Amino acid sequence: MEAFITMSRSLSVFFVILGILSHGTEAVLTPSKHNCSNTTFTPNSTYHINLDSVLSSLRSKSNATRENGFYNSSAGNTSGAKVYGSFLCRGDLSPQECQECVDTVTEIITQICPGKKEAIIWYDQCMIRYSNKSFFSIMEYEPFLHEANGENNKEPNGFMDVLNKTMNNMVSKVVRRYRKSSVAKYATTDAKFQGNPIYRFAQCTPDISADDCRKCLYKAILSLGNHCWGKIGCRILMPNCFVRYEKYPFYTSSPKDKWRQIVAIVTSTVISALVSLSIYLFFKMSKKVKKDAINEKTACSELSTMDYSSNFSLSIIEAATNNFSDGNKLGEGGFGAVYRGKLEGGKEIAVKRLSRTSGQGHQEFMNEVTLIAKLQHRNLVRLLGYCLEQNEKLLVYEYMPNKSLDVFLFDTSTSVQLNYKRRLTIINGVARGLLYLHEDSRFKIIHRDLKASNILLDYEMNPKISDFGMAMIFFGNESKELTDRIVGTYGYLAPEYATEGLFSVKSDVYSFGVLLLEIISGKRNDRFYFSEKGESLPTFAWKMWSKGQGMELIDSLLAKSNVAAPEVLKYIHIGLLCVQDDPAQRPTMSSVVVMLGSEIATFPQPTKPVFVAGSASSSHPKFCSDNAVTLSNISPR
Ligand SMILES: *[C@@H]1O[C@H](CO)[C@@H](O)[C@H](O)[C@H]1NC(C)=O
Ligand SMILES: *[C@@H]1O[C@H](CO)[C@@H](O)[C@H](O)[C@H]1NC(C)=O
Ligand SMILES: *[C@@H]1O[C@H](CO)[C@@H](O)[C@H](O)[C@H]1NC(C)=O
Ligand SMILES: *[C@@H]1O[C@H](CO)[C@@H](O)[C@H](O)[C@H]1NC(C)=O
Ligand SMILES: *[C@@H]1O[C@H](CO)[C@@H](O)[C@H](O)[C@H]1NC(C)=O
Ligand SMILES: *[C@@H]1O[C@H](CO)[C@@H](O)[C@H](O)[C@H]1NC(C)=O
Ligand SMILES: *[C@@H]1O[C@H](CO)[C@@H](O)[C@H](O)[C@H]1NC(C)=O
Ligand SMILES: *[C@@H]1O[C@H](CO)[C@@H](O)[C@H](O)[C@H]1NC(C)=O
């Protein structure tokens, strides 16, 4: 009983403190920036009436849309006077705070932008937008608004560096939230500069795609350099996303931080209360953890394509592939053959039949199966199912009608089909797929065998990364690994991996760089190496590029008229950065994606890459002379 009283006392302390903390953030509605069009409507016109009705519908929904803080609405018909409107509340706000902001701003927007056909208004807490154009689900960069805190930091360079450091991380966090529709698409992070905290916040509207959100946020982050240089606080506001940082906590801290603060306060005041409070917290948290674990499991089985596997019995696959007939064979590799198949309903599949002698053990097989089944990205090939029956190890994939990239790229009769635009699409798609593997999926995954023949092409020649038999998963923060079993393919192996067996995400970045140069030049790195030039594609590319003759690298089959020289040089530049000798000098895939999407090249200068194959042979003599083979053939998978 006594414990109960202490407990309820400490609980009331706890709620009082919770109340104080949750009002510790900005409670006052604070206007930020707005932009009104200079086109106007006439008072009492249909447009005016429709606008009023849109604004009142936003007001009425500000209560209902508590999950993701976003709502869109329209009124009227397309014969002239249709009005579209939406609101976005800052993701950390309570429904009441959101409602307060939306209600207030929809009331005054017609005073701030009187008679204007279009307007966008940003408050610290919410954004209201209306227009005569439909903007739902369309990503737009304009109107671009920014607002800086007038004060400058004394050491802008160091400050901006710190600010920038984990921005990519924050973007990935926001993007990940697109997996669940009912949550606000935002993330926060704090950092420290010279002992002072920096609080950062990023959010997107949920009506755009995760990819567009990423693009939008990267643009915002890149703009910090122009509009916020050295400022102690600043924000970049675009219709579909915004980024803000301050030296004070302007957002409601995450529950975890809140617990920490509560515990600190309670410790200094009522020690006895702390004891029971901890019991309470422990009780509450263990309950929460349990709940999360259950959610995780459900999410997993929803995501998992393993449910299909039961449909792929050996007899079904045999029927689909006409008993693995030669006529259905698509190709053959060190691991076994790939067959094309057609299921009863007409759906086409590709079946990888691991040869019984391939040496790919049960473990590698299950590695690939469990790994790829969890991955879903449009630049990764989908595994539909698998089959382990009667000594057969079969993997069933979505069918890729255009086979693999090497088939097109390195054959003069087909490479013309890979026009300039398609090649850039392929490079960008592979970069995004790899970024997903490295940073956006639930694990950190290193592919370890990225090469042209592992890039499959769909009907529209969109690239999909395949073959995860050698991929490695990392949990938590470990990110480098030492291995004495080097797998991968000559010409694509990063020097530190080939010589020391050290691999990390940066070894994939190296392979990506080689692949990029191959796509631009239409030349195979491995063949190239064995040519009399005594050079690898990276060293040759560097030589040409640094002499200002980068354009000579480009595939002679590409119609020169359609090729934009500055763009090609930018791609080569990025490729060369990826094949730098020192892994630390190579960009991460998120930087690569940013660079591919940026206009001007203010990238670091690459230095001359090393001649990888030569150094590989010195410390691993048994690998040295085999021409263009996947090393996994030597060291059996
Ligand atoms: C809108 O404003 C711009 C610049 O402020 C001006 O050049 C343009 O003529 C204006 N358009 C209308 C329709 O008033
Ligand atoms: C618009 O309507 C309001 C009330 O309905 C009226 O008071 C006002 O005079 C009207 N304005 C015009 C320009 O007709
Ligand atoms: C908003 O929701 C609260 C609680 O659910 C309710 O009391 C209130 O009346 C609602 N307001 C509006 C405008 O619907
Ligand atoms: C909101 O926008 C979506 C398209 O993104 C549209 O389908 C939906 O009807 C809109 N909602 C309203 C209430 O207009
Ligand atoms: C469009 O809206 C106008 C004004 O509200 C109305 O008179 C007209 O009948 C509507 N047209 C259609 C096709 O609904
Ligand atoms: C929106 O209004 C502007 C200015 O009156 C006009 O030029 C434009 O065509 C309108 N857009 C739509 C989709 O009606
Ligand atoms: C509002 O946005 C438009 C389009 O982005 C831009 O041209 C205009 O200059 C902006 N106006 C103000 C006052 O910022
Ligand atoms: C942040 O980093 C990017 C490249 O990673 C760079 O282009 C940008 O200028 C940096 N921004 C700031 C504000 O330092």
Side-chain angles (χ1 to χ4, degrees), residues 523 540 544 548-556 560 569 572:
K523 293 186 183 68
F540 180 68
M544 302 309 281
Q549 298 170 353
M551 289 305 283
E552 285 177 32
L553 200 68
I554 197 168
D555 195 336
S556 53
K560 289 285 191 290
L569 293 175
I572 296 174

Side-chain angles (χ1 to χ4, degrees), residues 311-562:
N311 299 337
F312 294 116
S313 67
L314 185 56
S315 57
I316 285 179
I317 295 173
E318 278 172 349
T321 57
N322 198 7
N323 251 330
F324 300 108
S325 73
D326 279 349
N328 283 33
K329 196 184 264 190
L330 290 170
E332 181 119 37
F335 49 79
V338 178
Y339 298 86
R340 176 181 185 164
K342 203 170 202 169
L343 297 174
E344 241 169 41
K347 186 182 169 69
E348 291 193 285
I349 53 172
V351 181
K352 183 164 151 183
R353 186 192 203 187
L354 299 159
S355 65
R356 273 161 239 194
T357 56
S358 75
Q360 173 162 5
H362 185 77
Q363 193 199 332
E364 284 90 344
F365 181 79
M366 288 318 290
N367 186 16
E368 178 155 13
V369 168
T370 51
L371 230 172
I372 196 174
K374 291 195 184 89
L375 305 176
Q376 299 215 342
H377 187 273
R378 84 190 132 100
N379 297 114
L380 301 182
V381 74
R382 281 277 302 273
L383 179 74
L384 301 177
Y386 70 98
C387 175
L388 253 177
E389 240 177 274
Q390 301 172 17
N391 281 335
E392 290 279 7
K393 292 196 202 93
L394 305 168
L395 294 167
V396 182
Y397 294 97
E398 59 179 332
Y399 175 64
M400 290 291 138
N402 281 323
K403 300 190 183 162
S404 54
L405 178 59
D406 59 328
V407 172
F408 279 88
L409 195 57
F410 304 130
D411 181 335
T412 42
S413 64
T414 49
S415 64
V416 280
Q417 288 182 48
L418 285 181
N419 62 27
Y420 175 62
K421 224 177 129 224
R422 278 192 176 138
R423 290 189 196 210
L424 299 197
T425 306
I426 291 171
I427 292 172
N428 279 285
V430 173
R432 267 187 235 120
L434 206 51
L435 172 62
Y436 174 84
L437 289 178
H438 287 180
E439 291 179 22
D440 289 345
S441 67
R442 277 196 283 151
F443 322 99
K444 183 190 282 293
I445 295 166
I446 301 177
H447 186 283
R448 296 209 295 168
D449 198 16
L450 191 73
K451 56 179 169 180
S453 58
N454 282 342
I455 307 299
L456 305 186
L457 300 169
D458 74 2
Y459 285 93
E460 295 164 320
M461 305 292 269
N462 292 311
K464 293 186 186 243
I465 300 173
S466 76
D467 208 335
F468 292 80
M470 295 189 248
M472 297 288 290
I473 301 190
F474 290 87
F475 300 92
N477 285 333
E478 36 166 349
S479 60
K480 265 192 209 158
E481 184 90 351
L482 204 58
T483 183
D484 52 5
R485 209 184 124 219
I486 295 172
V487 294
T489 304
Y490 265 138
Y492 294 93
L493 288 183
E496 75 280 5
Y497 182 34
T499 59
E500 296 162 48
L502 195 65
F503 70 89
S504 66
V505 286
K506 295 294 184 71
S507 15
D508 274 356
V509 171
Y510 184 93
S511 310
F512 173 80
V514 173
L515 183 65
L516 186 156
L517 294 173
E518 286 185 333
I519 294 172
I520 296 285
S521 66
K523 293 186 183 68
R524 280 186 112 103
N525 187 29
D526 47 25
R527 293 288 149 75
F528 206 77
Y529 160 55
F530 288 103
S531 79
E532 64 278 11
K533 286 198 166 67
E535 286 203 82
S536 67
L537 179 54
T539 58
F540 180 68
W542 189 84
K543 201 168 84 186
M544 302 309 281
W545 182 84
S546 59
K547 278 197 292 193
Q549 298 170 353
M551 289 305 283
E552 285 177 32
L553 200 68
I554 197 168
D555 195 336
S556 53
L557 291 165
L558 285 177
K560 289 285 191 290
S561 52
N562 296 331

Side-chain angles (χ1 to χ4, degrees), residues 46 50 76-79:
T46 319
N50 288 341
N77 56 42
T78 39
S79 56

Side-chain angles (χ1 to χ4, degrees), residues 42-235:
T42 39
N44 295 352
S45 61
T46 319
Y47 195 87
H48 193 174
I49 294 161
N50 288 341
L51 174 58
D52 282 346
S53 120
V54 163
L55 293 175
S56 89
S57 128
L58 295 183
R59 263 194 296 282
S60 71
K61 290 297 189 224
S62 61
N63 213 11
T65 323
R66 52 192 61 195
E67 314 151 308
N68 62 13
F70 177 84
Y71 184 70
N72 61 324
S73 168
S74 61
N77 56 42
T78 39
S79 56
K82 191 161 180 181
V83 181
Y84 304 83
S86 71
F87 70 73
L88 175 71
C89 284
R90 211 176 62 208
D92 61 305
L93 297 185
S94 70
Q96 289 74 24
E97 289 167 307
C98 174
Q99 184 177 359
E100 197 192 339
C101 185
V102 173
D103 289 3
T104 310
V105 179
T106 49
E107 291 288 351
I108 59 174
I109 194 168
T110 48
Q111 294 162 34
I112 295 172
C113 298
K116 304 296 187 194
K117 267 200 168 165
E118 297 179 272
I120 184 162
I121 297 195
W122 287 92
Y123 266 62
D124 279 2
Q125 291 83 356
C126 70
M127 179 267 282
I128 308 284
R129 182 183 184 195
Y130 72 81
S131 173
N132 68 336
K133 293 192 299 272
S134 170
F135 56 82
F136 303 157
S137 304
I138 299 169
M139 209 248 302
E140 284 177 284
Y141 294 126
E142 302 275 358
F144 180 98
L145 301 169
H146 53 87
E147 183 178 24
N149 229 324
E151 252 177 277
N152 282 319
N153 203 289
K154 288 196 193 73
E155 278 187 54
N157 289 317
F159 180 72
M160 294 316 275
D161 258 10
V162 170
L163 185 65
N164 227 1
K165 222 164 223 161
T166 53
M167 281 290 195
N168 290 338
N169 210 340
M170 189 159 69
V171 174
S172 298
K173 266 189 181 162
V174 179
V175 167
R176 248 176 257 149
R177 295 181 65 109
Y178 276 83
R179 298 214 195 110
K180 206 170 162 203
S181 66
S182 62
V183 298
K185 314 302 183 233
Y186 80 102
T188 65
T189 48
D190 51 34
K192 273 210 156 75
F193 179 62
Q194 296 178 337
N196 299 315
I198 314 171
Y199 298 89
R200 291 170 298 185
F201 193 101
Q203 187 171 357
C204 289
T205 61
D207 61 327
I208 55 170
S209 68
D211 245 314
D212 281 346
C213 168
R214 181 198 304 288
K215 278 192 210 145
C216 189
L217 289 176
Y218 275 145
K219 191 173 163 76
I221 289 167
L222 283 175
S223 313
L224 291 176
N226 293 334
H227 301 289
C228 305
W229 184 255
K231 302 290 179 194
I232 57 166
C234 191
R235 67 192 81 176

